[in-house]
């Protein structure tokens, strides 16, 4: 059955998966969503015997129906290779009574690698399928992890260029060093003086700028996105939830058909939306736990039905979640409006113009799959400490937010359904926050001394991604104000 993609705001005709991937964002400003969620029609006992690559093909082929078997398998094979430091790609680690789904074994030690390793291959394949002559310019705003993973994925890929904007004072030192040392003649990394939401808003504005699009086209370029607004980012993320469930069956932790809960540290809502799509495909997920940090706009939304971004933007120790405009929530809003694009567009316009919207009681009643809560900075530290001293297992700050929220859920519900926690980054990305949570005897050490201390403490070798940047030279040092972002892009592309 062919799956097509339409805009959440409804003005465009439905398009194929490859066209949706190439465009990234619909011309009306909406996000592409599948016209129907395909069923996962492979027996779980069969999936339980499959490798990650084989599972990826079974899931992704159901969504990306205009890719041939050869094209899709080639993309998967090129993505999930020796860039990952384990053949399992996304292993499970049991600790403190839950299963941590380790999504940080790729080239940049964060979960974004899971999708951004394959997106360049999907995109270049899509360009050939659709006879695209222009060079594709990947335009991305990052709160820390997407940027480096996208840069690593697209660096020196023929027919592409990539521009990444990040909040200059809103990422960890390790995250920043990873980005500004990125090699590749087609890469450009620019800091902005504002926060992530400023960067993301400006990027969306550039996508919708018809005059800029014409200038690019005249110069032989066209924009696409590597952010989770691109459906080519979202579909690969569905895979690891299916693989995690199949792994639990294979290891005898659950039986096929048993329910699990999934807890996801959430900022832009893409990662938990992928778990929701997995549930819609038929994966037996009972509850989706949406874990927020002190920027708890999503927790407030699930509690009240009002999404309100008019609040202080807080810089936390989990910077990839420091987000007040959760772009991917629009895909869920579209669904709970009954796929009413006009209503969805109206709500998104209210958010853009007035900073908030409120859903109806009928819409709110459709959110029963979700449980929302948040962790303060203190509770995040406690979760790192409790996991380490309880199970001798070190987790990063984002994973800790999820672990803390899971404990709150247990207290609220006494629901002991087997639970998978999406472990979205290696603790090596945030060594200072992690080591401070474990002990106060590491004060005064620099970031790389902390990295070595973390290795000694955890018994886990320092990842290649961190080792490489110890002495790597800074190659990108440009910083601009958000309004100057379009000019910076044009300068990089040599457009005057």
């Amino acid at each position: 059955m062919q799956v097509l993609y339409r805009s959440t705001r409804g003005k465009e005709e439905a398009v194929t998966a490859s066209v949706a991937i190439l465009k990234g964002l619909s011309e009306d400003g909406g996000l592409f969503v599948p016209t129907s969620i395909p069923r996962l029609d492979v027996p779980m006992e069969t999936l339980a015997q499959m490798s990650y690559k084989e599972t990826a093909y079974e899931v992704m082929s159901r969504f990306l129906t205009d890719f041939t078997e050869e094209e899709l398998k080639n993309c998967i094979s090129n993505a999930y290779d020796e860039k990952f430091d384990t053949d399992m790609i996304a292993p499970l680690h049991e600790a403190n009574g839950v299963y941590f789904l380790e999504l940080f074994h790729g080239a940049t030690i964060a979960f974004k690698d899971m999708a951004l390793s394959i997106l360049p291959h999907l995109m270049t394949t899509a360009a050939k399928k659709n006879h695209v002559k222009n060079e594709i310019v990947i335009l991305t705003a990052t709160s820390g992890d997407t940027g480096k993973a996208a840069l690593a994925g697209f660096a020196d890929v023929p027919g592409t260029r990539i521009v990444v904007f990040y909040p200059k004072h809103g990422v960890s030192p390790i995250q920043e060093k990873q980005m500004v040392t990125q090699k590749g003649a087609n890469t450009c990394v620019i800091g902005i003086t504002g926060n992530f939401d400023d960067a993301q808003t400006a990027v969306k504005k550039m996508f919708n700028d018809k005059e800029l699009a014409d200038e690019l086209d005249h110069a032989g370029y066209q924009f696409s996105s590597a952010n989770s607004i691109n459906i080519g980012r979202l579909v690969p993320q569905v895979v690891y939830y299916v693989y995690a469930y199949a792994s639990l069956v294979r290891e005898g932790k659950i039986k096929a058909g048993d329910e699990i809960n999934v807890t996801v540290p959430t900022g832009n809502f893409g990662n938990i939306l992928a778990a929701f799509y997995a549930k819609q495909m038929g994966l037996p997920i009972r509850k989706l736990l949406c874990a927020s940090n002190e920027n708890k706009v999503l927790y407030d939304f699930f509690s009240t039905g009002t999404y309100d971004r008019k609040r202080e933007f807080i810089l936390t120790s989990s910077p990839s979640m420091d987000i007040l405009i959760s772009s991917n929530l629009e895909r869920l809003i579209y669904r709970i409006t009954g796929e009413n694009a006009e209503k969805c567009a109206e709500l998104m316009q209210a958010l853009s113009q007035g900073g908030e919207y409120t859903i109806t009681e009928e819409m709110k009643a459709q959110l029963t799959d979700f449980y929302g809560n948040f962790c303060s900075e203190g509770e995040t530290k406690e979760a790192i400490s409790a996991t380490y001293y309880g199970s001798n297992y070190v987790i990063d700050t984002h994973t800790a937010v999820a672990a803390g929220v899971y404990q709150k859920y247990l207290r609220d519900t006494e629901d002991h359904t087997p639970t998978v926690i999406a472990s979205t980054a290696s603790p090596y990305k945030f060594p200072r926050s992690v080591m401070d949570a474990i002990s106060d005897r590491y004060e005064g050490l620099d970031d790389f001394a902390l990295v070595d201390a973390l290795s000694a403490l955890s018994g886990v070798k320092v990842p290649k991604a961190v080792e490489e940047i110890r002495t790597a030279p800074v190659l990108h040092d440009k910083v601009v104000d958000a309004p100057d972002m379009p000019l910076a892009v044009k300068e990089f592309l040599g457009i005057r």
Side-chain angles (χ1 to χ4, degrees):
M1 182 188 79
Q2 188 180 31
V3 175
L4 295 174
Y5 292 81
R6 63 162 55 103
S7 167
T8 51
R9 303 186 194 179
K11 289 182 183 170
E12 282 192 70
E13 292 297 309
V15 298
T16 61
S18 63
V19 169
I21 289 169
L22 278 173
K23 287 190 172 187
L25 192 68
S26 169
E27 285 166 16
D28 55 22
L31 278 60
F32 286 110
V33 288
T35 49
S36 61
I37 302 290
R39 296 298 296 171
L40 186 61
D41 52 4
V42 184
M44 187 50 66
E45 291 80 4
T46 305
L47 285 167
Q49 303 309 313
M50 289 184 178
S51 67
Y52 193 89
K53 287 183 183 181
E54 290 167 335
T55 307
Y57 177 75
E58 294 301 335
V59 174
M60 291 174 66
S61 63
R62 303 304 190 273
F63 282 97
L64 310 180
T65 54
D66 67 323
F67 285 74
T68 67
E69 181 177 350
E70 182 184 4
E71 286 170 341
L72 190 51
K73 284 186 173 176
N74 186 51
C75 290
I76 290 166
S77 179
N78 285 324
Y80 304 113
D81 56 11
E82 66 279 353
K83 291 190 291 293
F84 289 80
D85 64 16
T86 168
D87 291 340
M88 292 189 73
I89 308 298
L92 285 167
H93 184 101
E94 189 173 357
N96 272 21
V98 295
Y99 301 97
F100 289 90
L101 176 60
E102 295 185 344
L103 301 173
F104 52 74
H105 288 275
T108 74
I109 58 174
F111 83 101
K112 308 294 173 78
D113 289 323
M114 302 300 295
L116 284 164
S117 293
I118 194 168
L119 183 61
H121 303 288
L122 293 174
M123 198 165 281
T124 50
T125 303
K128 283 178 197 161
K129 290 174 79 69
N130 291 280
H131 311 292
V132 169
K133 298 291 188 285
N134 284 342
E135 197 162 310
I136 296 165
V137 180
I138 304 300
L139 191 60
T140 295
T142 184
S143 55
D145 289 337
T146 288
K148 175 59 184 179
L151 288 160
F154 281 93
D156 293 324
V157 171
T160 69
R161 297 205 190 190
I162 177 164
V163 186
V164 168
F165 292 98
Y166 74 97
K168 175 65 182 169
H169 303 293
V171 299
S172 80
I174 296 282
Q175 284 178 311
E176 182 174 40
K177 190 87 188 281
Q178 280 189 303
M179 287 188 281
V180 298
T181 58
Q182 177 65 49
K183 296 174 184 173
N186 67 335
T187 66
C188 177
V189 180
I190 301 172
I192 73 153
T193 53
N195 59 40
F196 170 74
D197 286 333
D198 297 325
Q200 180 169 252
T201 299
V203 163
K204 281 187 170 183
K205 194 173 175 183
M206 279 190 269
F207 270 106
N208 293 326
D209 187 332
K210 301 290 186 286
E211 195 175 311
L212 181 58
D214 288 342
E215 279 187 79
L216 259 69
D217 186 52
H218 186 71
Y221 299 110
Q222 67 187 63
F223 280 145
S224 191
S225 171
N227 279 85
S228 55
I229 55 175
N230 193 316
I231 199 70
R233 268 279 305 274
L234 192 59
V235 169
Q237 291 180 271
V238 178
V239 175
Y240 48 72
Y241 292 110
V242 175
Y243 183 72
Y245 187 94
S247 295
L248 290 173
V249 172
R250 181 176 62 250
E251 294 167 15
K253 305 293 186 183
I254 60 172
K255 293 186 178 69
D258 288 353
E259 287 188 323
I260 64 167
N261 289 334
V262 174
T263 309
V264 186
T266 307
N268 219 11
F269 206 73
N271 203 0
I272 196 166
L273 183 70
F276 176 74
Y277 277 10
K279 176 169 181 165
Q280 299 306 305
M281 289 187 86
L283 200 69
I285 296 174
R286 179 176 182 176
K287 209 76 172 177
L288 296 155
L289 280 59
C290 179
S292 300
N293 65 16
E294 288 184 359
N295 291 290
K296 55 189 181 69
V297 64
L298 286 166
Y299 164 65
D300 291 342
F301 169 71
F302 282 113
S303 302
T304 67
T306 295
Y307 191 99
D308 184 0
R309 64 173 173 82
K310 304 188 307 297
R311 61 185 69 203
E312 180 191 358
F313 185 96
I314 302 167
L315 293 174
T316 73
S317 61
S318 48
S320 296
M321 298 160 64
D322 291 346
I323 293 170
L324 296 182
I325 304 171
S326 302
S327 290
N328 269 289
L329 185 63
E330 181 171 341
R331 288 185 163 114
L332 182 65
I333 295 298
Y334 174 75
R335 187 177 181 88
I336 64 174
T337 62
E339 303 193 342
N340 182 334
E342 192 176 334
K343 177 65 175 173
C344 185
E346 180 187 307
L347 291 171
M348 294 308 115
Q349 187 173 18
L351 180 65
S352 176
Q353 293 181 347
E356 68 174 285
Y357 62 79
T358 300
I359 60 174
T360 64
E361 286 301 317
E362 291 78 14
M363 290 166 69
K364 196 176 176 190
Q366 295 180 63
L367 297 176
T368 53
D369 287 333
F370 294 90
Y371 165 90
N373 216 316
F374 76 102
C375 276
S376 68
E377 286 289 88
E379 290 167 334
T380 302
K381 285 183 77 169
E382 285 171 21
I384 293 171
S385 177
T387 306
Y388 174 68
Y389 289 108
S391 296
N392 199 32
Y393 183 59
V394 183
I395 57 176
D396 92 295
T397 48
H398 302 75
T399 308
V401 169
V405 164
Y406 172 67
Q407 291 302 321
K408 291 185 177 187
Y409 174 75
L410 269 187
R411 290 195 291 272
D412 286 349
T413 65
E414 297 185 3
D415 174 15
H416 290 274
T417 300
T419 296
V420 169
I421 290 179
S423 186
T424 53
S426 164
Y428 281 102
K429 276 210 138 167
F430 309 94
R432 186 168 303 282
S433 297
V434 169
M435 297 305 277
D436 282 352
I438 290 172
S439 173
D440 60 8
R441 64 191 175 96
Y442 300 103
E443 289 177 13
L445 296 182
D446 69 29
D447 281 281
F448 286 102
L450 285 167
V451 161
D452 294 330
L454 175 55
S455 180
L457 186 82
S458 65
V460 176
K461 187 179 171 186
V462 177
K464 183 181 171 188
V466 175
E467 205 60 72
E468 283 177 341
I469 62 171
R470 269 185 205 264
T471 55
V474 171
L475 302 175
H476 308 270
D477 58 4
K478 188 166 189 168
V479 180
V480 302
D481 295 330
D484 297 326
M485 286 166 57
L487 181 61
V489 171
K490 289 202 281 189
E491 283 177 356
F492 172 61
L493 298 176
I495 299 172
R496 292 288 178 263

